[in-house]
Amino acid sequence: MMKRPKVRRGTLAAILAAGTLVLGVQFCSSEQNEEKLREGREMSDVIKFDNVNFKLKEIYANDEELMRRKMFSPEQIVEGRRPNRFYGEVPKQDLNVLWSLIEDEGNIIDKNIIKAIIYHESKGNFKTKCRGEKIQACGLMQLQPEVIVSGLRKLYGSNEKLDDFKQRYGQQLDRKKMAVNSYNNNYFMLLEDLERKIGERRKNLNKLGDKEELKKIKTLERTIIEGYYVTKPMMVRNNSAYLERLCKNKHFKDYVVTLTGKDVNWEDILQRQHREVKKMIRLVHDNHNPDINVGFGDLYVASLWNEFGSLPRGLGFYSGGYRNIGSKRYYNLLTELGKKQLFSKHKHERIY
C-alpha cells in the first residue's frame, strides 16, 4: 500500500486558514465573527488587490477604524486596478504640458476624470513604460492599438451612428482632427470624403435597383472600413482581397474620380491605408506625442459614454476590474480623486 504523505501541522493550518478566507469563513458562528465576515466580503468586493487574501487577514487580525478608512481611500481603490509601473516623479519641465493636456478644450470628458485616469495609468510620467507585449498599451493614458483604430473610425468614419456621435461633439472632434491631420497631411480626410460619397451613392442605387454597381460600391465601402483594422489579421486579409479585386477593374480609377470629383490616385491612397493606421498607432504610443495620446484616450471614454448611455456605465466598462464596485461608485471615486492636487502646476517649457 502507498504511504499517506506527511503534512506538517504549520502547513496544514495555513492551508485551512487560506481556504477559510476564500470561502468567506463559512464556519464562523458568533455574532462578532459574522460581522467580520460581512465586512470582509464588502472589502473583497471593493478592493481588488492581487493580495486580497493578505488584506483580508489584516482585517480579521485588526479591527481598527483607522485601517478601515485607509483601505477605503479613493487612491487605494483606484490603485486596485493594478496600475502600470512608473519610474520616479513627474519631471518639472513636463508638468506645464501635462496640465495643458488635461485642460485642453478638445477634451470631451471632464478634466477631473481625465486627470484621475492619467494619474492611475502613468502617474503623469511621460516616460512611463508600456504594459506587456500582449497588451501593448502605451503613453500617458496607456492606450491599446485597438483604441487608436476605433478612435480613427469615430473621427473619420461615415455612417448614421457615427454621424450622430460627430454631431453631438462636433467642435471637440474637429480639434482632434486638426491634431491628427497635422501628422498625416490630411490623409484620413480623403478616406472620410470617399466613404461619405459612397454612402450617398449606395442610397441612390438602392432606389434605382442597379445590382451590378451596387455590388461594386459595397466592395469599395468594405475595403475602406476593414482597411482600418490592422490589428485583426482576418480583416487585413479581407481588405487585401477586396483591394486586389477592385484594382483589376480597368475602370476603377475613373469610377472613383467621377464619384468623388477629385482627380487623385485612389488606388495608391487605398493601398497606403494600413501603413497610415500603423503610423498613427506608433505616434500615439510614442511618449513624445502626448497630445494625441490624451486626445485618443478622451475620445475612447467619450465613445463608451455614448455607447452605454451614461459616463458612469462607460467608465465601468473601461475599468474591467470594477464590475463588483459598481460603475456609479467608480465614477464618484474618479471624480473625487481628480479633484485632488495630484500634479502641481509649474511654468516650465518642456525639455527632453
Side-chain angles (χ1 to χ4, degrees):
M1 295 177 65
M2 294 181 64
K3 291 184 178 180
R4 183 177 296 174
K6 293 182 179 180
V7 180
R8 292 183 181 180
R9 290 184 178 181
T11 305
L12 181 59
I15 293 171
L16 288 173
T20 304
L21 281 171
V22 172
L23 294 172
V25 201
Q26 295 290 338
F27 301 105
C28 293
S29 57
S30 68
E31 291 182 2
Q32 185 179 5
N33 284 342
E34 285 181 3
E35 178 65 18
K36 287 183 178 181
L37 170 61
R38 185 182 62 77
E39 292 182 2
R41 281 175 175 164
E42 288 176 1
M43 288 289 188
S44 65
D45 284 343
V46 171
I47 304 167
K48 293 297 178 182
F49 289 106
D50 289 340
N51 56 347
V52 64
N53 287 340
F54 176 75
K55 292 295 178 185
L56 287 172
K57 287 179 184 178
E58 285 186 349
I59 295 167
Y60 284 101
N62 192 336
D63 291 332
E64 293 179 6
E65 184 65 20
L66 178 64
M67 178 183 289
R68 181 178 177 84
R69 287 202 301 269
K70 182 181 177 183
M71 295 287 283
F72 273 97
S73 68
E75 289 89 344
Q76 270 193 297
I77 292 177
V78 173
E79 292 300 333
R81 258 193 70 224
R82 302 177 68 183
N84 184 45
R85 294 174 297 170
F86 68 102
Y87 301 86
E89 298 298 325
V90 184
K92 289 183 179 179
Q93 64 268 20
D94 286 337
L95 283 167
N96 194 39
V97 176
L98 183 60
W99 272 103
S100 67
L101 297 173
I102 292 170
E103 298 179 341
D104 189 277
E105 292 180 3
N107 291 336
I108 299 169
I109 306 304
D110 181 82
K111 67 179 181 181
N112 290 322
I113 301 292
I114 297 285
K115 185 168 67 167
I117 292 174
I118 292 175
Y119 172 78
H120 168 69
E121 297 292 358
S122 66
K123 294 296 188 298
N125 193 324
F126 289 82
K127 298 177 179 63
T128 302
K129 293 188 177 180
C130 296
R131 288 180 182 166
E133 293 182 2
K134 290 184 179 180
I135 297 179
Q136 294 181 329
C138 304
L140 281 177
M141 294 191 79
Q142 291 292 297
L143 304 181
Q144 294 181 343
E146 289 80 2
V147 172
I148 292 93
V149 171
S150 64
L152 288 171
R153 283 294 298 158
K154 288 288 187 304
L155 288 175
Y156 297 100
S158 180
N159 59 48
E160 291 179 3
K161 189 175 181 179
L162 292 177
D163 289 343
D164 290 340
F165 181 76
K166 289 180 180 181
Q167 190 172 3
R168 186 176 180 182
Y169 305 113
Q171 190 174 357
Q172 294 98 323
L173 296 181
D174 286 341
R175 287 179 63 90
K176 293 181 189 299
K177 278 186 179 183
M178 287 173 63
V180 174
N181 294 340
S182 66
Y183 287 99
N184 58 49
N185 197 24
N186 299 334
Y187 172 79
F188 291 108
M189 290 191 72
L190 288 171
L191 291 181
E192 181 184 26
D193 182 59
L194 175 57
E195 190 176 353
R196 185 178 291 108
K197 294 292 176 57
I198 288 172
E200 292 171 0
R201 182 61 180 166
R202 178 163 44 79
K203 289 179 181 178
N204 292 331
L205 289 173
N206 283 330
K207 295 177 182 178
L208 297 172
D210 191 334
K211 293 183 179 179
E212 187 175 343
E213 188 180 356
L214 186 60
K215 186 177 180 180
K216 185 193 298 184
I217 208 83
K218 284 183 177 179
T219 302
L220 181 57
E221 185 177 40
R222 197 166 180 181
T223 303
I224 297 169
I225 294 171
E226 297 196 356
Y228 279 100
Y229 294 93
V230 298
T231 57
K232 299 180 180 179
M234 179 61 72
M235 298 188 83
V236 171
R237 287 195 293 271
N238 289 345
N239 173 262
S240 300
Y242 297 142
L243 189 57
E244 185 179 354
R245 191 188 311 167
L246 285 170
C247 293
K248 284 182 179 179
N249 190 322
K250 296 179 181 179
H251 306 291
F252 168 73
K253 181 182 175 181
D254 295 336
Y255 177 74
V256 181
V257 169
T258 304
L259 185 67
T260 60
K262 293 183 179 180
D263 190 5
V264 295
N265 190 340
W266 286 105
E267 182 180 340
D268 177 65
I269 288 170
L270 291 172
Q271 287 176 344
R272 283 171 51 198
Q273 191 172 357
H274 282 158
R275 296 196 302 273
E276 293 291 342
V277 174
K278 287 181 178 178
K279 175 186 172 184
M280 187 53 58
I281 292 172
R282 288 195 300 270
L283 286 170
V284 175
H285 281 178
D286 188 341
N287 288 327
H288 286 81
N289 304 289
D291 54 335
I292 53 173
N293 182 276
V294 175
F296 271 91
D298 169 75
L299 180 59
Y300 175 59
V301 178
S303 67
L304 293 177
W305 180 6
N306 187 67
E307 182 178 349
F308 286 91
S310 77
L311 185 54
R313 283 200 292 268
L315 286 167
F317 180 85
Y318 160 78
S319 73
Y322 273 80
R323 295 188 185 90
N324 290 332
I325 192 174
S327 57
K328 181 68 175 178
R329 187 171 182 188
Y330 181 57
Y331 167 77
N332 291 335
L333 285 167
L334 276 181
T335 305
E336 182 181 344
L337 187 62
K339 288 178 180 178
K340 293 189 176 184
Q341 195 69 11
L342 302 177
F343 313 110
S344 301
K345 286 190 177 182
H346 286 264
K347 295 183 179 179
H348 292 280
E349 290 185 4
R350 187 175 177 196
I351 302 171
Y352 277 106

